[in-house]
Amino acid sequence: MRIRLVVLALLLATPLRAQNSSANDVMTGAVRAYRDLDFDAAATMLRRALAPPLASGLDESGRALALTYLAATEHYRAQPDSALAVFRRLVVLAPRHRPDTLIFPPEITRLYDAVRNSTKVVAVRVPADTEFNVAEGGRLVAWLYPSTPHDVTVAVSGEDGRPRRIVYAGPIRDSLDVHWDGRDSNGAYATAERLWLTVVSPGSREVRVPLRVDVTIPDTLPHPSPLSASDVLPERSRGRTGLRSLGGAALLAAGALALPSLVAPGERASGTRFAVAGALGVSGLVGYLSRPAGTPLPENAAINQARRDAWRRQVDAVTRENAERLRAGRVHIQSGSAVVLDRGAENP
Amino acid sequence: MSTRIVWLVAASGLAASPLAGQTGITATAAGLLLNVRARSEASGVTRVSGTAVGFEGSVRFRRLELQVRYAEGRLQPADQQSDARDLVEGAVALRFVATPWLSMQVGPHARRYDTPLGPERWVTWQLGTRGDVALAGPSVRGHALLWRGMGLGVNVPPGSGSTRGGEVGVTIDLGAPLRPFWLALSYGIDQAQVRDVARRETVETLTLTAGFRRR
């Protein structure tokens, strides 16, 4: 059983190793052919090295070097359109790449510079994982390197392509750092299933970096609803205020007089209840006469003020509590590999 | 008797002040002066009346209020046939303030008469509803209370029965500089009926209350 596993592992490993060495071997042969001025053979080998499956054996710098040799080869093969196309591909792949002037003559580097100046594209570098605490005001940092100075618009967009937040809009020269705090234009955390960091070079290309944002924030409390009209007492008496006092007093006075027959029917009650009924009647009369319509009601104003103050205290308490809860929140942003979309609006 | 009540009123007032000041609890303490008229109907009719003094105190926290009331006095006969009685009365009520004008209360109420034939106790649990209404601003308020007894216990002769009662009154909050003080005048009546015995007790009280309130 163990022997079978070892054999299987060797069978699987050998092609990968052979493939990797093949890409380097082909590159070595292509460079040798280029130096021997055998440009047709060099072009054939370079195209082979840049095409699958060998292309996966080259890293970004290896592919950039292969593209530079290929563009120079096409130039010397009198294929200027192919040379321009290859250099354009090189600029898109690695906007910061510059041909080695010890290897390539000035006519090649000048051609590359011309293509680079006319090809507006931005390389975007974003950390694979960014995690920060909400309270500490952390940011996702993206480093942008343009092929040539131009204006760019950096945004975080949803799956539908619509920007959720414009992070930067303006010129970019040598390089630019842009920061994003994880929030959309409304200040809420952008928690869509999939987001894109998009860098648009107007009229040319768009670079997209996939983002996944996970926000861990405790639930916040709802703010208390504002005081409604029914929560606030009238601060000036109306015509009914005095009548209500008088009516209430009359009702209570009648209740005092009728209480014995209600509680102890048939009993002959004493006259002490008349004292209370009289006091109630006088109180109601005073309330009626002292409260004509329009009279300020300071007691109601005080009650209203107390209710407003209590409501304000509740709002402040909820605000403080929510701020405290938000301080415990964390934002985790994962990024993927950049994708360049050619909008096809420029020519060298 | 009077000395003991004065001490009790003073003690409840002293206890109420720091409690209210620190916790937002509203506490009241008051002295009571009662005019009591009782009519007892058994084999004959007995009428007594007199004056009693006492105190009451309450503590309110949010919608719950606990009230304690105590009074004692001597009732003199109103006719030639009746005997004088000593009266001791106490009640505890737990009140739930549903709205500023409506509250429900429940609690025990006990009344004891010392007669030449021995002590006589009437104990019941009161369940009642009270309504409050402002009569002249917030400083003058009226109230009405109706309650019903949940069982009645009497010791002489041993028995049970039913009881019900009510109270109507007016309360005046005094203005500055006497702001925490208030006065109240109320009329109350209750009637107890002992089951299986032809006995009925009706008590009327006119109560003058003077107290102070701390928040």
Side-chain angles (χ1 to χ4, degrees):
Chain A
M1 181 67 185
R2 187 176 292 173
I3 293 172
R4 284 181 189 172
L5 284 175
V6 171
V7 169
L8 185 60
L10 286 172
L11 284 171
L12 288 172
T14 305
L16 288 174
R17 199 174 59 237
Q19 183 177 302
N20 193 21
S21 64
S22 294
N24 289 331
D25 291 346
V26 172
M27 266 302 292
T28 305
V31 171
R32 190 182 304 118
Y34 175 85
R35 286 177 182 163
D36 294 341
L37 306 182
D38 185 359
F39 295 120
D40 290 339
T44 302
M45 282 189 276
L46 287 168
R47 287 190 188 283
R48 190 176 152 218
L50 288 165
L54 296 185
S56 58
L58 297 173
D59 59 9
E60 188 178 308
S61 62
R63 279 200 294 276
L65 185 62
L67 285 169
T68 310
Y69 271 110
L70 181 59
T73 302
E74 294 294 359
H75 174 75
Y76 291 123
R77 291 176 68 207
Q79 300 288 339
D81 290 344
S82 294
L84 291 175
V86 172
F87 268 145
R88 207 173 294 129
R89 192 175 153 195
L90 173 60
V91 172
V92 171
L93 173 71
R96 305 183 74 194
H97 176 78
R98 299 289 185 273
D100 190 344
T101 53
L102 296 177
I103 298 174
F104 299 100
E107 60 182 303
I108 297 299
T109 55
R110 275 200 301 272
L111 181 62
Y112 173 78
D113 288 340
V115 172
R116 187 168 57 84
N117 287 335
S118 62
T119 305
K120 294 171 182 171
V121 70
V122 176
V124 184
R125 298 286 177 269
V126 182
D129 278 294
T130 302
E131 189 167 3
F132 54 85
N133 192 306
V134 171
E136 293 167 0
R139 299 278 192 278
L140 169 75
V141 182
W143 293 275
L144 310 183
Y145 304 101
S147 58
T148 182
H150 62 283
D151 289 342
V152 293
T153 302
V154 184
V156 174
S157 306
E159 195 114 39
D160 55 1
R162 283 190 296 184
R164 303 275 290 270
R165 170 95 175 266
I166 302 293
V167 180
Y168 175 81
I172 177 171
R173 300 191 185 283
D174 185 50
S175 66
L176 179 70
D177 299 350
V178 292
H179 302 252
W180 181 50
D181 60 2
R183 296 175 190 267
D184 61 16
S185 55
N186 295 323
Y189 283 101
T191 54
E193 193 62 30
R194 184 154 194 171
L195 297 170
W196 297 91
L197 177 70
T198 60
V199 182
V200 178
S201 301
S204 59
R205 289 175 176 79
E206 177 177 332
V207 180
R208 288 185 165 196
V209 180
L211 299 177
R212 181 184 175 85
V213 181
D214 292 311
V215 181
T216 310
I217 290 181
D219 287 341
T220 53
L221 300 174
H223 276 244
S225 52
L227 294 177
S228 63
S230 61
D231 297 326
V232 180
L233 299 175
E235 298 192 3
R236 286 187 176 275
S237 67
R238 291 172 288 205
R240 293 186 307 233
T241 308
L243 283 176
R244 196 181 301 139
S245 297
L246 193 59
L251 200 64
L252 286 175
L257 296 177
L259 194 58
S261 57
L262 198 67
V263 172
E267 289 287 340
R268 206 183 72 181
S270 70
T272 52
R273 65 188 190 279
F274 291 105
V276 175
L280 285 164
V282 171
S283 300
L285 205 58
V286 169
Y288 176 70
L289 295 175
S290 65
R291 297 297 173 107
T295 306
L297 302 174
E299 63 276 7
N300 283 7
I303 292 170
N304 289 344
Q305 189 58 46
R307 289 179 182 174
R308 290 189 194 100
D309 291 345
W311 179 81
R312 171 53 56 192
R313 283 195 296 275
Q314 285 180 351
V315 169
D316 291 345
V318 168
T319 304
R320 278 196 304 274
E321 173 64 22
N322 286 348
E324 194 61 33
R325 292 187 180 192
L326 287 174
R327 289 176 67 83
R330 294 195 70 78
V331 179
H332 183 203
I333 302 174
Q334 295 171 288
S335 66
S337 301
V339 177
V340 180
L341 303 179
D342 193 346
R343 297 175 135 186
E346 64 175 5
N347 288 306
Chain B
M1 175 186 74
S2 303
T3 310
R4 186 168 49 172
I5 289 174
V6 168
W7 277 111
L8 284 169
V9 170
S12 63
L14 287 171
S17 302
L19 189 69
Q22 290 168 13
T23 60
I25 293 172
T26 302
T28 65
L32 307 174
L33 181 63
L34 295 89
N35 176 266
V36 182
R37 290 166 188 272
R39 183 175 185 274
S40 184
E41 192 176 337
S43 53
V45 176
T46 304
R47 285 195 178 87
V48 289
S49 64
T51 303
V53 292
F55 75 95
E56 73 172 29
S58 70
V59 179
R60 178 172 170 181
F61 178 65
R62 294 184 180 166
R63 289 174 179 267
L64 284 180
E65 181 174 343
L66 182 68
Q67 187 179 44
V68 179
R69 179 184 167 114
Y70 177 87
E72 60 182 51
R74 185 164 181 81
L75 307 182
Q76 300 294 339
D79 50 38
Q80 299 301 321
Q81 295 86 18
S82 307
D83 295 318
R85 302 175 175 186
D86 281 336
L87 167 71
V88 178
E89 193 177 43
V92 177
L94 181 64
R95 183 177 298 162
F96 174 70
V97 184
T99 69
W101 55 270
L102 181 69
S103 56
M104 277 73 77
Q105 67 179 60
V106 63
H109 176 268
R111 185 178 287 147
R112 171 187 159 133
Y113 299 109
D114 281 327
T115 67
L117 299 175
E120 182 180 317
R121 283 188 299 275
W122 299 71
V123 181
T124 186
W125 279 78
Q126 296 179 346
L127 176 66
T129 303
R130 171 179 164 137
D132 285 79
V133 60
L135 300 179
S139 57
V140 182
R141 299 182 313 279
H143 74 266
L145 166 69
L146 280 175
W147 58 266
R148 193 165 186 88
M150 296 185 296
L152 169 70
V154 188
N155 68 330
V156 179
S160 60
S162 63
T163 179
R164 60 186 173 179
E167 183 186 271
V168 177
V170 58
T171 304
I172 303 170
D173 283 334
L174 301 178
L178 302 171
R179 181 163 294 282
F181 292 93
W182 52 274
L183 295 173
L185 182 67
S186 63
Y187 168 76
I189 182 170
D190 61 85
Q191 186 174 66
Q193 176 83 47
V194 181
R195 195 180 301 138
D196 301 330
V197 180
R199 186 169 182 197
R200 198 164 58 186
E201 180 91 4
T202 306
V203 178
E204 286 180 279
T205 52
L206 180 69
T207 308
L208 178 66
T209 309
F212 71 96
R213 178 182 296 111
R214 289 295 299 267
R215 293 178 195 279

